[in-house]
């Protein structure tokens, strides 16, 4: 007998038991469990525990499914690290140390890829850290760094401005412990907390005291002692080990507490962020999680991305009370999200595609509950979609899905987060 499933069905698949005595017919449902019944042979009652035990022993699921007792569930992507391109792509490091990507972007093959489901990028197998945008870099298990993709400003650090379709080893980043990619820039932090950067510097974003691009990684003295690097559209900020935040480049929106020219070609301290434990940046706004438990944001606020209840740009940092005691923070292009104690999440800002995971497409001037009913451990926000690691290391995404950036098989926008399939 075969039990139909009420949800949308994938094509029927038949599986041969290891002993060859039972064929199991499975109808797999997107977002739900596959229904299992005996199609041929084995005329036992599937409603009994003994019958279910026999099915469970015989059942073999293909790679799109995972075995749960006597059923095959659609396999869900599980990850320990999550990154987005800032555009329409996302990559993760899985629990098995595989790098998988979905959506569109540079994912290690050609100049651009489009993956409708999470697809393994084998050239980055075993990576310990990844960073991506129009180019992608990874720290490998042997502490080497591989980068590929766009290189028009020398952002790959290879001594030239030639794009690379296939990632290559960047000797200047050998031994890096963390890697960061901006729109046209790459920076790495080393074990002694020194920083090297390469790429575009026309606005002083490398902090080297001039406006000349670099095509090889060079040390940035003003970032010495860094524990984290973030990029805006045309600036770079570093969190230092003394909990100070320094920034360089174009600091015009909100001017980051600077009173004269908004351009800086060496890092300057942002005193409003003193005592910072973590920083994050969108296109033209920056936020910091402070040691006293507060979250402060500064800069452009046209899209409500600061979360202070207004859309007024802020030249000095404002405290966001709804994010008090946040565990982590993450800025999208025009939004800001935080994970709070207990695994709840709140987001504010632009939401016209449902990218905040609030169940609607209303822009949010102040932080509201996001990814409700999920225990969130980390969240990553892009321009029009977001993804989060939730309970049991599973990945969910929300928002625009025109380029399969939600990784859930369909190409339909979702305002409520959906599980990402395991993929290939």
């Amino acid at each position: 007998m075969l039990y139909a499933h009420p949800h949308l069905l994938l094509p029927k698949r038949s599986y041969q038991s290891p002993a060859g005595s039972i064929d199991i017919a499975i109808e797999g449902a997107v977002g739900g469990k596959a229904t299992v019944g005996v199609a041929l042979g084995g005329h036992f009652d599937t409603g009994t525990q003994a019958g279910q035990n026999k099915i469970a022993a015989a059942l073999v699921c293909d790679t799109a499914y995972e075995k749960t007792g006597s059923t095959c569930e659609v396999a869900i992507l599980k990850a320990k690290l999550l990154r987005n391109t800032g555009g329409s792509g996302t990559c993760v490091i899985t629990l098995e140390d595989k790098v998988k990507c979905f959506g569109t972007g540079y994912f290690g093959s050609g100049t651009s890829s489009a993956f409708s489901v999470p697809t393994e990028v084998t050239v980055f197998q075993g990576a310990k850290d990844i960073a991506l945008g129009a180019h992608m870099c990874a720290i490998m298990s042997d502490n080497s760094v591989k980068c590929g993709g766009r290189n028009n400003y020398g952002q790959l650090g290879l001594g030239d401005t030639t794009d690379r379709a296939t990632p290559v080893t960047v000797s200047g980043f050998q031994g890096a412990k963390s890697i960061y990619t901006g729109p046209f820039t790459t920076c790495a932090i080393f074990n002694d907390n020194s920083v090297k950067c390469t790429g575009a510097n026309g606005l002083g974003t490398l902090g080297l005291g001039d406006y000349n691009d670099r095509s090889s990684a060079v040390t940035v003295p003003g970032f010495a002692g860094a524990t984290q690097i973030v990029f805006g559209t045309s600036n770079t900020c570093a969190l230092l080990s003394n909990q100070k935040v320094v920034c360089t480049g174009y600091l015009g929106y909100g001017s980051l507490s600077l009173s004269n020219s908004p351009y800086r070609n060496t890092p300057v301290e942002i005193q409003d962020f003193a005592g910072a434990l973590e920083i994050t940046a969108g296109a033209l706004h920056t936020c910091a999680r402070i040691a006293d438990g507060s979250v402060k944001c500064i800069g452009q606020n046209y899209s409500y991305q600061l979360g202070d209840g207004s859309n007024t740009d802020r030249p000095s940092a404002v405290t966001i009370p709804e994010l008090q005691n946040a565990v982590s923070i993450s800025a999208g292009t025009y939004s800001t999200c935080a994970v709070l104690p207990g695994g709840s999440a709140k987001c504010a800002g632009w939401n016209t595609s449902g990218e905040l995971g609030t169940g609607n497409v209303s822009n949010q001037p102040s932080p509201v509950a996001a990814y409700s009913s999920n225990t969130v451990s980390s969240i990553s926000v892009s321009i029009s979609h977001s993804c989060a690691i939730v309970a049991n290391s599973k990945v969910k995404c929300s928002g625009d899905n025109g380029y399969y950036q939600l990784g859930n098989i369909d190409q339909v926008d979702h305002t409520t987060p959906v599980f990402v399939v395991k993929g290939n």
Side-chain angles (χ1 to χ4, degrees), residues 32 42 123 126 162 165 178 222-223 264 271 277 316 320 337 344 413:
V123 70
T162 303
S178 56
F223 286 162
R264 289 292 188 275
Q271 295 182 354
L277 301 177
S316 298
I320 314 303
C337 293
S344 63
D413 295 354

Side-chain angles (χ1 to χ4, degrees), residues 78-158:
K78 296 181 179 181
K80 56 185 177 181
L81 186 144
L82 178 65
R83 299 281 189 263
N84 71 71
T85 63
S88 300
T90 301
C91 293
V92 304
I93 297 180
T94 70
L95 302 186
E96 301 80 25
D97 292 324
K98 295 179 179 180
V99 174
K100 288 190 173 184
C101 300
F102 50 99
T104 60
Y106 174 79
F107 299 140
S109 177
T111 55
S112 181
S113 299
F115 296 148
S116 59
V117 297
T119 301
E120 184 179 359
V121 183
T122 55
V123 70
F124 291 136
Q125 169 68 36
K128 299 189 295 183
D129 191 16
I130 54 174
L132 58 152
H135 66 292
M136 183 173 181
C137 295
I139 299 178
M140 307 305 293
S141 58
D142 62 359
N143 294 320
S144 65
V145 172
K146 289 184 177 182
C147 295
R150 291 293 301 277
N151 193 35
N152 47 327
Y153 290 96
Q155 57 262 47
L156 300 186
L158 298 170

Side-chain angles (χ1 to χ4, degrees), residues 332-415:
T333 307
Y334 306 114
S335 58
T336 302
C337 293
V339 177
L340 301 175
S344 63
K346 288 186 176 182
C347 295
W350 198 251
N351 193 38
T352 56
S353 297
E355 54 264 48
L356 301 186
T358 58
N360 56 55
V361 292
S362 300
N363 296 331
Q364 303 296 335
S366 299
V368 297
Y371 284 78
S372 298
S373 303
N374 291 282
T375 301
V376 178
S377 59
S378 68
I379 189 167
S380 181
V381 194
S382 193
I383 187 170
S384 60
H385 80 288
S386 66
C387 295
I389 298 177
V390 299
N392 299 315
S393 302
K394 293 183 178 181
V395 179
K396 278 189 166 183
C397 295
S398 183
D400 181 16
N401 201 24
Y403 295 95
Y404 299 101
Q405 58 263 53
L406 303 189
N408 71 320
I409 299 177
D410 69 31
Q411 203 173 5
V412 177
D413 295 354
H414 291 271
T415 62

Side-chain angles (χ1 to χ4, degrees), residues 20-395:
S21 59
I22 306 172
D23 284 336
I24 304 297
I26 298 172
E27 302 247 358
V30 174
K33 291 185 177 181
T35 301
V36 180
V38 178
L40 297 171
H43 301 291
F44 47 79
D45 185 358
T46 59
T48 66
Q49 187 61 53
Q52 291 294 323
N53 290 343
K54 289 182 180 180
I55 292 175
L59 188 63
V60 178
C61 302
D62 70 8
T63 56
Y65 297 83
E66 56 189 2
K67 186 174 179 179
T68 303
S70 57
T71 68
C72 284
E73 293 185 2
V74 174
I76 303 302
L77 181 67
K78 296 181 179 181
K80 56 185 177 181
L81 186 144
L82 178 65
R83 299 281 189 263
N84 71 71
T85 63
S88 300
T90 301
C91 293
V92 304
I93 297 180
T94 70
L95 302 186
E96 301 80 25
D97 292 324
K98 295 179 179 180
V99 174
K100 288 190 173 184
C101 300
F102 50 99
T104 60
Y106 174 79
F107 299 140
S109 177
T111 55
S112 181
S113 299
F115 296 148
S116 59
V117 297
T119 301
E120 184 179 359
V121 183
T122 55
V123 70
F124 291 136
Q125 169 68 36
K128 299 189 295 183
D129 191 16
I130 54 174
L132 58 152
H135 66 292
M136 183 173 181
C137 295
I139 299 178
M140 307 305 293
S141 58
D142 62 359
N143 294 320
S144 65
V145 172
K146 289 184 177 182
C147 295
R150 291 293 301 277
N151 193 35
N152 47 327
Y153 290 96
Q155 57 262 47
L156 300 186
L158 298 170
D160 57 45
T161 56
T162 303
D163 295 350
R164 298 299 197 279
T166 302
V168 295
T169 299
V170 183
S171 59
F173 288 144
Q174 175 68 37
K177 68 176 182 179
S178 56
I179 192 81
Y180 306 89
T181 55
F184 307 105
T185 311
T186 305
C187 292
I189 299 177
F190 294 80
N191 287 330
D192 61 358
N193 289 340
S194 64
V195 174
K196 289 184 177 182
C197 295
T198 185
N201 193 38
L203 296 175
T205 49
L206 298 186
L208 296 170
D210 58 43
Y211 297 99
N212 302 317
D213 298 342
R214 301 296 198 279
S215 61
S216 297
V218 293
T219 299
V220 183
F223 286 162
T227 59
Q228 185 189 1
I229 303 287
V230 298
F231 300 96
T233 298
S234 52
N235 62 35
T236 308
C237 294
L239 172 62
L240 307 183
S241 57
N242 59 9
Q243 298 183 349
K244 293 181 179 181
V245 176
V246 295
C247 297
T248 186
Y250 178 70
L251 311 179
Y253 278 92
S255 63
L256 291 175
S257 300
L258 301 175
S259 59
N260 42 35
S261 172
Y263 294 94
R264 289 292 188 275
N265 59 21
T266 56
V268 293
E269 182 182 354
I270 309 306
Q271 295 182 354
D272 285 356
F273 288 158
L277 301 177
E278 180 187 10
I279 55 176
T280 187
L284 294 165
H285 76 291
T286 308
C287 297
R289 184 167 59 90
I290 309 299
D292 64 6
S294 64
V295 172
K296 296 181 177 182
C297 296
I298 196 170
Q300 190 190 63
N301 199 26
Y302 176 81
S303 302
Y304 310 104
Q305 56 263 54
L306 301 189
D308 69 343
S310 77
N311 62 348
T312 302
D313 295 350
R314 300 297 182 181
S316 298
V318 291
T319 299
I320 314 303
E322 294 88 346
L323 303 184
Q324 181 71 27
N325 296 321
V327 176
S328 63
I329 53 176
S330 175
T333 307
Y334 306 114
S335 58
T336 302
C337 293
V339 177
L340 301 175
S344 63
K346 288 186 176 182
C347 295
W350 198 251
N351 193 38
T352 56
S353 297
E355 54 264 48
L356 301 186
T358 58
N360 56 55
V361 292
S362 300
N363 296 331
Q364 303 296 335
S366 299
V368 297
Y371 284 78
S372 298
S373 303
N374 291 282
T375 301
V376 178
S377 59
S378 68
I379 189 167
S380 181
V381 194
S382 193
I383 187 170
S384 60
H385 80 288
S386 66
C387 295
I389 298 177
V390 299
N392 299 315
S393 302
K394 293 183 178 181
V395 179

